[in-house]
Amino acid sequence: MPDVPIIDNSERRINETVCIDTKRIFDSCVSKDCLEDLRITFFGNSQRLVDDAITVKTRDASVVAVSIDVDDVPFNRGYYSVDITFYFKLRFDTYSSPCTTPQVAVGYTSFNKKCILYGSEGNVKIFTSDASTDNLDCPEAPQYTNPNAKVQCVDPVVLETNIVDVCDCPYPYVTSFPQSILNSVGDASILANSSKAVLVTLGLFSIVQMERDCQILIPAYDYCIPERECECSTQDPCSTFRDIEFPVDEFFPVEREEANNCCNNNE
C-alpha cells in the first residue's frame, strides 16, 4: 500500500480571504402538518379495485412532486409569500373479500400550504451562461429578481385510512396534477360512476427556506486535499462479507429503558 501523507489540520492557518458567489438563507421555517381526510384520486383500473373492495389498507405513501410559487407581499418590502403544493403517491392493498390476496391500487392526492418569509430586496437582473443557453443563436438567460424558495420534506406518515361511499364523502377529488405524474400513470382516465372513495390522514414534516444569490467573504485555509486513500478492494466477495460486522441491533431491538435514556441524554 502506498504511503499516504498525514495532514495536521490544527497547524493550518488562514492564508487569505476569498470572495465566493453562493446562496444565502435569509429566512426559514419548520412545519409539522397533520393533513386530515385527503381524498385520493384513482386512475384507470385502480378505482375499480377500490369499488370492489370491502377493506383498504395503505401500503406506503411518498412525495412525488412539489410546486413552489414565490410572490411579493404588498406593502411589506422584503417579504415574500411562498405557495407550496405537495403531490403524494399512495399505494393501497384492496381486499374484495376476507382472507384473499390483496390487489394493489395506486392513488394520488395533493396538499397546499402558504407561508411568508423574509427574502431581502434585490432589483438586479442576473444573467448566466450554461450548456442550455450556449446552444441558442442568441444566448440569454435572465433570472427573476425574487429570491428562491427551497422546500425540504420527508415522505409522509400515514395516520389513518378510511373507505366510504361517494354519497357520504363531502370532499372532492383532485383533478389537477403535474404532467410528470400523468405521464407515469399511463391510463389517466378517471372513472365517472365510482361508488367508493378513500380518505387518508397524513403527517408531513417540512422545512421551507428563502435563498438569494450573494457574494460573501470567507477565510481560506488551503485547498481541499483528500486525506483518505481510495479503497479499491479486489478481494473476493466472501472475504469482503466476512469483514462486515454482524448487525446485532437489527435482530435485537432497543429496550424501552435504553431508548428513554438515549432521549434523556440528548436533552
Side-chain angles (χ1 to χ4, degrees):
M1 180 181 296
D3 294 334
V4 179
I6 300 177
I7 302 176
D8 188 359
N9 291 325
S10 61
E11 297 181 357
R12 288 186 174 181
R13 297 181 179 180
I14 299 177
N15 293 333
E16 59 177 337
T17 57
V18 296
C19 181
I20 63 171
D21 188 1
T22 185
K23 291 185 179 296
R24 175 183 172 183
I25 300 175
F26 282 86
D27 201 0
S28 62
C29 62
V30 178
S31 294
K32 180 180 179 182
D33 298 304
C34 183
L35 320 180
E36 296 186 77
D37 294 333
L38 297 177
R39 183 172 176 178
I40 306 300
T41 300
F42 295 98
F43 299 100
N45 189 56
S46 292
Q47 181 63 57
R48 298 183 181 90
L49 295 176
V50 173
D51 289 341
D52 296 337
I54 60 174
T55 304
V56 173
K57 297 181 180 179
T58 305
R59 175 178 292 189
D60 53 40
S62 60
V63 179
V64 292
V66 178
S67 174
I68 307 173
D69 189 24
V70 179
D71 292 316
D72 298 330
V73 176
F75 311 110
N76 203 348
R77 298 179 61 180
Y79 285 85
Y80 299 85
S81 173
V82 185
D83 191 348
I84 309 169
T85 303
F86 297 90
Y87 295 94
F88 306 101
K89 176 183 178 180
L90 299 96
R91 295 193 301 167
F92 301 90
D93 290 331
T94 61
Y95 298 83
S96 57
S97 61
C99 302
T100 58
T101 302
Q103 307 236 2
V104 179
V106 180
Y108 298 85
T109 189
S110 67
F111 167 70
N112 179 265
K113 69 174 299 178
K114 293 184 179 181
C115 59
I116 296 178
L117 295 175
Y118 179 74
S120 187
E121 296 182 75
N123 297 319
V124 177
K125 293 183 179 180
I126 304 174
F127 298 84
T128 61
S129 63
D130 52 30
S132 59
T133 60
D134 290 342
N135 296 329
L136 302 177
D137 293 335
C138 182
E140 295 183 5
Q143 296 184 2
Y144 294 105
T145 57
N146 285 352
N148 297 321
K150 180 179 179 181
V151 178
Q152 303 180 54
C153 63
V154 295
D155 287 337
V157 180
V158 180
L159 303 176
E160 186 178 28
T161 303
N162 293 315
I163 182 170
V164 298
D165 292 333
V166 171
C167 298
D168 300 330
C169 181
Y171 310 104
Y173 55 78
V174 182
T175 58
S176 178
F177 290 98
Q179 192 61 40
S180 60
I181 293 180
L182 298 178
N183 293 338
S184 65
V185 170
D187 182 8
S189 61
I190 299 177
L191 190 63
N193 299 322
S194 57
S195 60
K196 295 180 180 178
V198 175
L199 303 178
V200 297
T201 298
L202 303 177
L204 180 65
F205 298 93
S206 62
I207 297 176
V208 184
Q209 297 173 334
M210 191 67 72
E211 302 177 338
R212 184 183 289 278
D213 290 338
C214 63
Q215 292 75 40
I216 300 178
L217 281 173
I218 63 171
Y221 295 90
D222 205 342
Y223 289 105
C224 300
I225 304 174
E227 302 178 14
R228 184 175 59 87
E229 183 183 5
C230 297
E231 296 181 4
C232 303
S233 177
T234 57
Q235 58 185 349
D236 63 277
C238 291
S239 299
T240 303
F241 179 75
R242 283 192 291 269
D243 293 337
I244 301 175
E245 296 183 2
F246 191 87
V248 179
D249 294 339
E250 299 295 330
F251 290 87
F252 302 96
V254 178
E255 297 293 337
R256 178 179 300 178
E257 292 78 6
E258 296 180 13
N260 292 336
N261 291 335
C262 177
C263 295
N264 293 333
N265 292 334
N266 292 332
E267 294 181 356

